[in-house]
Amino acid sequence: MQNTPNTPLFEAVADATCRALQEAEVHLPADVLRALQRAEEREPNPVARSELRNILRNVELAEELRLPLCQDTGVPVLYVSLPPDVPLSERLYAALAEGVRRATERVPLRPNVVDPLTRENRGDNTGPGMPSVHLRPGERFAITALPKGAGSENVSRIGMLLPSEREEIERFVVETVLRAGGRPCPPLVLGVGIGGTFDGSAALAKEALLSPIDTMTGLERRLCEAVNALGIGPMGLGGETTALAVKVRQADCHTASLPVAVNVQCWACRRATVEVRR
């Protein structure tokens, strides 16, 4: 990528970033929509069922009006699949940031990104460390947007368990949701990272939110059932649907460590992938 802001590749990356954010903000992924519909069909609690209907109506209105699903349009988290012929450069990061600025104006996105201490807001959702960019090698050049709202992000947790505390993982996950209560706007999708390093387990937990929620492993289903037994329910008003799904990713770790992270996501489990047109 040349060192000028208007090369074709720069524009293609900025355009794809903007489109991915718009798609994620307006359209709920099909697997998440199906999970909400199934929950509404199965939920025995009338108040909870009514809340699920309200959520589904909200999804319909966002589609019709082409407006964001939630007033908290989140902070931009981007996962970039980078093919071998695209160099990793500062211009790539600049193009991703430009895409965020365009999406902030066009979607529009609420300007959520501020300096952590002065709280100064630049108004375009960019700044040092923002957007949050995660790169990985791939065969195709694609950008996945995962807008992350604060209500759910604020109640996420990480714990450094002892290797002998494997049985405590379920307790840690359930305790995280119990402490959160209705604040993260349930029903939730929980990303759980097990293993790696302190920071690595948090990254795993967030990446787990990119996984389809149609299916769960035995461990994921067990964790989901334990969370739903809390009875927090949609929007914290009670019911059997506290979580739509739990998704787990894991990595090897130090023999003396067992990091566990829970990244909490509200019902609006937004994500979208757009290929870069070159």
Side-chain angles (χ1 to χ4, degrees):
M1 189 175 293
Q2 297 175 19
N3 193 27
T4 54
N6 56 353
T7 62
L9 188 53
F10 182 101
E11 286 297 325
V13 171
D15 174 67
T17 304
C18 181
R19 287 188 290 121
L21 281 165
Q22 182 164 40
E23 179 72 17
E25 296 283 357
V26 174
H27 307 289
L28 202 61
D31 58 310
V32 181
L33 181 58
R34 285 194 296 271
L36 283 166
Q37 291 167 336
R38 280 198 302 270
E40 191 269 334
E41 290 167 3
R42 297 171 181 172
E43 175 60 61
N45 183 307
V47 174
R49 202 162 55 246
S50 174
E51 286 302 312
L52 288 165
R53 286 191 192 122
N54 289 338
I55 289 171
L56 289 166
R57 178 59 180 148
N58 182 82
V59 174
E60 289 176 2
L61 287 172
E63 290 268 0
E64 290 172 17
L65 302 174
R66 293 191 60 78
L67 289 173
L69 288 156
C70 178
Q71 49 81 26
D72 184 355
T73 52
V75 293
V77 182
L78 304 175
Y79 291 85
V80 181
S81 171
L82 204 61
D85 63 320
V86 177
L88 176 58
S89 69
E90 287 299 323
R91 295 307 301 161
L92 174 63
Y93 287 93
L96 293 166
E98 175 60 20
V100 170
R101 282 190 283 272
R102 292 178 186 179
T104 300
E105 182 178 346
R106 294 174 188 175
V107 175
L109 307 180
R110 194 173 71 182
N112 285 328
V113 172
V114 299
D115 181 287
L117 297 181
T118 68
R119 315 307 290 182
E120 178 188 359
N121 192 325
R122 297 171 181 82
D124 61 9
N125 283 309
T126 69
M130 283 289 175
S132 174
V133 177
H134 303 262
L135 295 163
R136 55 192 168 195
E139 292 303 313
R140 63 175 188 147
F141 195 3
I143 295 167
T144 297
L146 176 74
K148 198 68 178 69
S152 56
E153 191 80 343
N154 286 353
V155 293
S156 300
R157 291 172 78 209
I158 185 166
M160 300 302 289
L161 306 186
L162 297 174
S164 61
E165 294 180 318
R166 281 177 295 174
E167 300 305 318
E168 291 295 303
I169 292 174
E170 179 176 316
R171 179 198 59 77
F172 184 80
V173 173
V174 172
E175 183 183 84
T176 299
V177 178
L178 181 62
R179 289 168 55 158
R183 285 180 293 160
C185 296
L188 311 171
V189 177
L190 299 174
V192 178
I194 302 175
T197 55
F198 175 82
D199 55 315
S201 63
L204 287 170
K206 193 172 293 297
E207 286 174 18
L209 296 176
L210 298 174
S211 307
I213 65 172
D214 295 275
T215 60
M216 286 186 275
T217 65
L219 171 61
E220 291 168 343
R221 187 167 297 283
R222 203 160 56 247
L223 292 171
C224 192
E225 289 172 354
V227 167
N228 281 331
L230 292 171
I232 294 171
M235 297 299 160
L237 297 175
E240 296 187 2
T241 317
T242 302
L244 297 173
V246 176
K247 304 300 294 184
V248 175
R249 290 202 181 183
Q250 65 184 69
D252 287 357
C253 63
H254 194 290
T255 186
S257 293
L258 178 54
V260 178
V262 181
N263 199 196
V264 179
Q265 174 61 56
C266 68
W267 66 263
C269 188
R270 302 167 289 190
R271 46 180 153 76
T273 300
V274 167
E275 192 152 355
V276 179
R277 296 168 180 158
R278 296 192 286 161

